[in-house]
Amino acid sequence: MLKLNPKQLLSPPVLVISGILVAQALLFANFSRIEKVPVGIPLAQFPERLGGWLKIQEGYVDDATQAVLQADDLLSRSYGNPSLNANASLFIASFRSQRTGVAPHSPKNCLPGNGWTPIVDDRIPVKVEGMPQPIEVNRYIIQRGDSRSLVLYWFQSRNRAVASEFHAKFYTMRDALLENRTDTALVRVILPLRPEANLDEARRIAEDFIRSVYGPIIRHLPS
């Protein structure tokens, strides 16, 4: 039988392997439990007026898209702000559980297939009411022919907004271990850009829209 002395038991490789085994045991034990699947307010009841933004059109998600997304609740809606002379679309896909492999699809994976080319790809901070620090969101400026749009999206779990897909998956594991729940939502905002649009002004308008929708999003998703 192989025997290890105390120094060997405390060596970094042994500690790393032990940590992995413990994490695997915790994950197995947690996934063996019945998950807490919270229920939020249906997105169909999302406000039609958000500050200066008013609903102008209810969107439609076809059956084929719904079959791919496999979300538990969806919202696709357009809003307009007369004082800003701007329109914005809001899309929310809410998932009550990710344990069966169902998870949000990153919008950037759909862009090339629809003929859109990203000409800006970064992340920006957005100050929202009720959060001590600005939330970070992904920013894409996409172009197809002469058309351009500003796309902002993030992953939302209760009062936590995450831009990084890697960090979103990390928090899913954390929530599964500590809270026995894996619910999340993808939130996407699209602002069509006129040919003469100033990008800084477009960003300010998009941020104003996010500030208007963020509070209702928190209230509608499971707490």
Side-chain angles (χ1 to χ4, degrees):
M1 178 182 295
L2 179 63
K3 294 183 178 180
L4 299 176
N5 61 45
K7 289 185 178 180
Q8 289 175 311
L9 290 173
L10 296 176
S11 65
V14 172
L15 292 175
V16 170
I17 293 173
S18 299
I20 292 173
L21 292 174
V22 170
Q24 288 178 334
L26 288 173
L27 281 171
F28 178 79
N30 185 74
F31 274 74
S32 299
R33 293 185 293 164
I34 297 176
E35 182 179 6
K36 296 178 181 177
V37 182
V39 180
I41 301 173
L43 292 175
Q45 299 177 23
F46 203 80
E48 298 186 358
R49 184 184 186 103
L50 302 162
W53 295 87
L54 302 174
K55 170 188 167 182
I56 57 176
Q57 184 178 6
E58 192 73 33
Y60 171 72
V61 181
D62 59 72
D63 293 340
T65 301
Q66 291 192 45
V68 172
L69 293 174
Q70 299 185 59
D72 294 297
D73 200 3
L74 290 169
L75 175 71
S76 179
R77 186 179 289 176
S78 296
Y79 289 84
N81 189 317
S83 65
L84 296 176
N85 191 27
N87 294 339
S89 67
L90 173 66
F91 177 81
I92 304 174
S94 176
F95 300 81
R96 297 174 63 192
S97 174
Q98 299 180 74
R99 287 194 175 183
T100 59
V102 177
H105 293 257
S106 171
K108 68 180 181 182
N109 295 331
C110 305
L111 299 179
N114 291 326
W116 291 95
T117 300
I119 56 178
V120 172
D121 175 0
D122 59 10
R123 292 174 183 161
I124 61 172
V126 180
K127 293 182 179 179
V128 294
E129 187 177 353
M131 298 294 286
Q133 300 293 331
I135 64 172
E136 186 179 54
V137 304
N138 298 288
R139 175 175 66 168
Y140 281 85
I141 297 178
I142 57 177
Q143 184 169 348
R144 184 173 62 186
D146 295 330
S147 300
R148 291 187 304 163
S149 292
L150 171 60
V151 181
L152 302 174
Y153 78 91
W154 69 95
F155 303 95
Q156 185 74 43
S157 298
R158 300 176 296 288
N159 63 343
R160 182 179 64 228
V162 180
S164 165
E165 293 177 53
F166 174 81
H167 289 157
K169 293 183 184 300
F170 168 81
Y171 282 118
T172 295
M173 294 182 62
R174 173 200 172 278
D175 289 348
L177 284 170
L178 301 182
E179 301 182 36
N180 194 29
R181 57 188 289 185
T182 59
D183 52 294
T184 192
L186 169 71
V187 183
R188 185 194 68 196
V189 171
I190 299 181
L191 187 75
L193 300 176
R194 298 182 181 87
E196 72 283 1
N198 178 284
L199 295 184
D200 289 335
E201 178 63 18
R203 172 177 171 173
R204 285 192 288 270
I205 292 173
E207 290 180 355
D208 179 83
F209 183 68
I210 290 177
R211 279 189 285 272
S212 298
V213 303
Y214 194 77
I217 288 173
I218 295 296
R219 290 192 290 273
H220 278 70
L221 294 180
S223 60

